[in-house]
Amino acid sequence: MEIVIAVFIFIYGLVLGSFYNVVGLRVPKGESIVRPPSHCTICNRNLTAKDLVPVFSYVFLKGKCRGCGTKIHWIYPVIELSTGVLFTFAYLQLGLTWEFIVLLLFISLLVIITVSDIAYMLIPDKILLFFLIPLVIGRIISPLDPWWDSMVGAIVGFGILLLVAMVSKGGMGGGDIKLFFVIGVVLGTVSTLVTLFLASVIGTVVGIITLKISRQGRKTPIPFGPSIAIAAVISYFYGQAIVDLYINLFF
């Protein structure tokens, strides 16, 4: 039975991943997520059911629009597959619990802001606020231990990023700062600090690689949101294990 549920959740994640692409690309531009229907941004051809099957349509179409042959951005299948895999992994780790619901909301937020930050270098307040309320409710139903760690984590995450932004005079985006407030609510203090550390490492590696392969060099903007999202997921599952390993190695 567990396998059947896991397969269902994986498919559910693929479908929602496709929807999250739409949300991440349209909400920052102030567009409706319902109208107009999904279409090719080059030839304006409305996509049919055959074009909208998550991941598989991309593979069968060889990554190109059926109408004009324009390459479809890689972000679409990657986001769809990532959402499906993360949803399934969450279920296998937590089962059908309230914490599972909290994690699904958290993953959904991280996926959407990854899309928007890659596309526009922007993490919209609308998206953060939309998820903050149900995540706070989720943390009341499924609290951390101790329960007040959510509040402390939110303050610490927001405060550190705000301090970094003030010291660097704009080196940290407002969306990143607010995102860490939400991350603190979900993860608590220790895992939020681990997230910040891992995000910095991931961001640095991505930055170095981008500078090496980019023709524009240092002028190439690098969104920090995806690094934060990856780090937050790792911290959720393995944050305490990372802290324990660090303590064992250096103390």
Side-chain angles (χ1 to χ4, degrees):
M1 187 63 180
E2 185 179 68
I3 296 178
V4 174
I5 296 176
V7 171
F8 172 79
I9 290 175
F10 176 71
I11 296 173
Y12 182 69
L14 289 179
V15 174
L16 276 183
S18 180
F19 175 66
Y20 292 161
N21 275 319
V22 175
V23 175
L25 292 173
R26 293 193 182 187
V27 168
K29 296 170 64 177
E31 297 178 351
S32 168
I33 60 176
V34 179
R35 296 184 181 278
S38 297
H39 60 281
C40 174
T41 56
I42 304 301
C43 66
N44 289 320
R45 171 182 171 273
N46 286 343
L47 303 184
T48 65
K50 292 187 294 185
D51 303 312
L52 295 173
V53 180
V55 179
F56 295 101
S57 289
Y58 183 88
V59 174
F60 293 147
L61 293 173
K62 298 180 180 179
K64 296 181 180 179
C65 171
R66 189 190 302 272
C68 63
T70 301
K71 284 189 176 181
I72 302 172
H73 201 286
W74 57 265
I75 195 173
Y76 292 101
V78 169
I79 289 297
E80 292 164 355
L81 186 60
S82 297
T83 307
V85 170
L86 287 173
F87 274 26
T88 306
F89 187 70
Y91 165 70
L92 294 176
Q93 294 295 311
L94 301 173
L96 297 177
T97 60
W98 281 112
E99 184 62 23
F100 172 63
I101 301 301
V102 172
L103 184 52
L104 290 192
L105 287 169
F106 190 48
I107 291 171
S108 299
L109 166 63
L110 296 176
V111 168
I112 293 172
I113 65 97
T114 294
V115 175
S116 64
D117 208 27
I118 290 176
Y120 309 113
M121 296 284 292
L122 178 66
I123 299 176
D125 291 344
K126 286 182 179 179
I127 293 175
L128 293 174
L129 183 59
F130 178 86
F131 280 95
L132 175 61
I133 296 173
L135 283 171
V136 169
I137 295 173
R139 269 292 163 252
I140 293 174
I141 298 173
S142 178
L144 297 175
D145 184 19
W147 64 267
W148 44 261
D149 196 29
S150 285
M151 294 187 293
V152 177
I155 294 171
V156 169
F158 181 86
I160 291 178
L161 268 290
L162 180 61
L163 180 62
V164 170
M166 294 172 62
V167 172
S168 63
K169 297 180 179 180
M172 185 67 62
D176 298 330
I177 299 172
K178 297 167 190 173
L179 174 60
F180 259 92
F181 181 89
V182 182
I183 289 173
V185 169
V186 178
L187 299 185
T189 309
V190 173
S191 290
T192 297
L193 293 175
V194 173
T195 298
L196 178 57
F197 169 74
L198 292 178
S200 301
V201 173
I202 295 170
T204 299
V205 172
V206 171
I208 293 173
I209 294 174
T210 301
L211 289 175
K212 292 290 185 180
I213 64 177
S214 174
R215 296 178 180 179
Q216 297 179 356
R218 294 185 179 274
K219 295 182 180 180
T220 303
I222 302 173
F224 192 42
S227 297
I228 297 174
I230 294 171
V233 172
I234 295 173
S235 296
Y236 181 93
F237 290 109
Y238 305 110
Q240 190 57 54
I242 292 173
V243 172
D244 293 341
L245 177 62
Y246 176 82
I247 293 174
N248 290 333
L249 287 175
F250 297 101
F251 295 96

